[in-house]
Structures are given as C-alpha cells and as structure tokens.
Amino acid sequence: AVQIGILDYTLFPDAPEFYATYRLMNIKSHKIYSDKLRLSVLDLKHIELATEEDRTYQIDYWAHLFKSATWEELKRLAENHKALAEATDTIYTLSRDEKIRMQCEAREDYYRRVGWKDDKIKEQASIIQQQTAALQQQASILDQQAAIIQKLQQKLAAAGIAEEQAQIQP
C-alpha cells in the first residue's frame, strides 16, 4: 500500500524536503516491515527543493497543479502535459457540478467549524485553568486571613479574661 500525503506545510522544519518516502522499520533490528508499504509526503511549501529525479517523474508539475489558485494557472500548467490536462478537465467538470461543489463546500465548512470548535475549547480550557489557579490562590489567602483572625480572637479572648479579672479585684 502506498499512501501519499500532500501537505501545505513542512513536516520536519529542521530538514525540509520536497518529496520524501518513509517505510515502517523495526527499531531494534532495523528490518523493513514490508517493501509493499510506504508513506510518501509531498511538501507544497518546498517545490524549489525538487530533485532531478522528482523533475524526471514530473512530481513538481503535480505539486504546481495542487498549489494552483486560479483556472488560468491550471490551464497554463496543463498545456503541454496530457495527464495534467485530464486532471484539470476533471477538476473543472467536478467543480461545475453544483451538487458535487456543494458537497465539497459542506465538507470544508464542517472541517472549518470543527477546527474552530477545537480552538474554542482549548481557549476556554486555558481560561478555566487560569481562573482555577486564581481561585486557589484566593482560597489560600482566605485561609491565611482566617488563621490570623483566629489568633487575634484568641488573644482578645485571653486579654478579655485578664481584663475581667482585673476589674473584679479591688
């Protein structure tokens, strides 16, 4: 099985690559799990790092296709490339179909809302943590103040008894 991930971010910023392939390996023996299983990653942020081999297989052309923002860009890329022309025609046809376009937009909207909710939940959890810490600090201050009050009450009570005894004696 081959999985190709097309990313619009750099997976490993300290070692950017345009196209990389990964395999599962036993970490003790370094034996590859299977030559039939691999994960390939295409980083659209680093098309400029395409190797000669990447250009030979025209992976950079496909990256530009995925990175394109307008129909004009797509058409220009597809002019001299049959497979890209077919892919561009398919994308154009699918995007013209209202039902398919609405499904795509609904899916994008769903992912945007879920991401927004996740961000909101994280933000609210952070606020709750800050408020909990502040409440704990206030509770500690109140405990300290209660201890001081108790000591003062004890001193007052002790002083009051001494005062009463002084008033009784002539």
Side-chain angles (χ1 to χ4, degrees), residues 23-26 29-35 37:
R23 293 196 173 158
L24 294 178
M25 177 184 71
N26 181 308
S29 67
H30 302 282
K31 183 165 177 63
I32 300 294
Y33 175 74
S34 170
D35 63 348
L37 180 63

Short mmCIF file of all heavy atoms in Angstrom, two decimals, residues 23-26 29-35 37:
data_model
loop_
_atom_site.label_atom_id
_atom_site.label_comp_id
_atom_site.label_asym_id
_atom_site.label_seq_id
_atom_site.Cartn_x
_atom_site.Cartn_y
_atom_site.Cartn_z
N ARG A 23 9.24 4.37 5.36
CA ARG A 23 8.83 2.97 5.50
C ARG A 23 8.80 2.61 6.97
O ARG A 23 9.52 3.20 7.78
CB ARG A 23 9.80 2.05 4.77
CG ARG A 23 9.74 2.24 3.28
CD ARG A 23 10.37 1.10 2.57
NE ARG A 23 10.13 1.26 1.15
CZ ARG A 23 10.84 0.71 0.23
NH1 ARG A 23 11.85 -0.06 0.55
NH2 ARG A 23 10.56 0.90 -1.03
N LEU A 24 8.01 1.61 7.30
CA LEU A 24 7.98 1.11 8.67
C LEU A 24 9.18 0.20 8.88
O LEU A 24 9.51 -0.62 8.03
CB LEU A 24 6.70 0.32 8.93
CG LEU A 24 5.40 1.12 8.90
CD1 LEU A 24 4.22 0.19 9.11
CD2 LEU A 24 5.41 2.20 9.93
N MET A 25 9.82 0.38 10.05
CA MET A 25 11.04 -0.38 10.31
C MET A 25 11.06 -0.79 11.77
O MET A 25 10.63 -0.05 12.66
CB MET A 25 12.25 0.50 10.00
CG MET A 25 13.58 -0.14 10.28
SD MET A 25 14.95 1.01 9.99
CE MET A 25 14.75 2.13 11.36
N ASN A 26 11.57 -1.98 12.05
CA ASN A 26 11.78 -2.44 13.41
C ASN A 26 12.91 -1.61 14.00
O ASN A 26 14.02 -1.58 13.45
CB ASN A 26 12.14 -3.92 13.41
CG ASN A 26 12.33 -4.46 14.81
OD1 ASN A 26 13.09 -3.91 15.59
ND2 ASN A 26 11.64 -5.54 15.10
N SER A 29 16.06 -4.11 15.16
CA SER A 29 16.84 -4.82 14.13
C SER A 29 17.03 -4.01 12.85
O SER A 29 17.79 -4.40 11.98
CB SER A 29 16.15 -6.14 13.78
OG SER A 29 14.92 -5.88 13.12
N HIS A 30 16.28 -2.90 12.73
CA HIS A 30 16.30 -2.07 11.52
C HIS A 30 15.81 -2.80 10.28
O HIS A 30 16.10 -2.43 9.16
CB HIS A 30 17.70 -1.46 11.27
CG HIS A 30 18.18 -0.63 12.41
ND1 HIS A 30 17.74 0.64 12.63
CD2 HIS A 30 19.05 -0.92 13.41
CE1 HIS A 30 18.30 1.12 13.71
NE2 HIS A 30 19.11 0.19 14.21
N LYS A 31 15.04 -3.86 10.50
CA LYS A 31 14.46 -4.62 9.40
C LYS A 31 13.21 -3.89 8.92
O LYS A 31 12.36 -3.49 9.70
CB LYS A 31 14.10 -6.03 9.86
CG LYS A 31 13.56 -6.91 8.76
CD LYS A 31 13.58 -8.36 9.20
CE LYS A 31 12.99 -9.27 8.17
NZ LYS A 31 13.69 -9.32 6.92
N ILE A 32 13.13 -3.72 7.61
CA ILE A 32 11.97 -3.07 6.99
C ILE A 32 10.78 -4.01 7.09
O ILE A 32 10.86 -5.19 6.77
CB ILE A 32 12.25 -2.71 5.51
CG1 ILE A 32 13.45 -1.75 5.41
CG2 ILE A 32 11.01 -2.13 4.84
CD1 ILE A 32 13.22 -0.39 6.01
N TYR A 33 9.64 -3.49 7.54
CA TYR A 33 8.43 -4.28 7.73
C TYR A 33 7.98 -4.90 6.41
O TYR A 33 7.70 -6.08 6.34
CB TYR A 33 7.34 -3.39 8.31
CG TYR A 33 6.00 -4.05 8.44
CD1 TYR A 33 5.76 -4.99 9.44
CD2 TYR A 33 4.96 -3.74 7.58
CE1 TYR A 33 4.54 -5.60 9.57
CE2 TYR A 33 3.73 -4.34 7.70
CZ TYR A 33 3.52 -5.27 8.70
OH TYR A 33 2.30 -5.88 8.81
N SER A 34 7.89 -4.08 5.37
CA SER A 34 7.46 -4.58 4.07
C SER A 34 7.88 -3.58 3.00
O SER A 34 7.79 -2.38 3.21
CB SER A 34 5.95 -4.75 4.03
OG SER A 34 5.51 -5.02 2.71
N ASP A 35 8.31 -4.08 1.85
CA ASP A 35 8.63 -3.16 0.75
C ASP A 35 7.36 -2.76 0.01
O ASP A 35 7.40 -1.97 -0.91
CB ASP A 35 9.67 -3.78 -0.18
CG ASP A 35 9.17 -5.04 -0.86
OD1 ASP A 35 8.12 -5.57 -0.45
OD2 ASP A 35 9.84 -5.49 -1.81
N LEU A 37 4.73 -1.47 1.63
CA LEU A 37 4.05 -0.48 2.46
C LEU A 37 4.96 0.73 2.62
O LEU A 37 6.09 0.62 3.10
CB LEU A 37 3.75 -1.08 3.85
CG LEU A 37 3.05 -0.18 4.85
CD1 LEU A 37 1.66 0.20 4.35
CD2 LEU A 37 2.94 -0.91 6.19
#
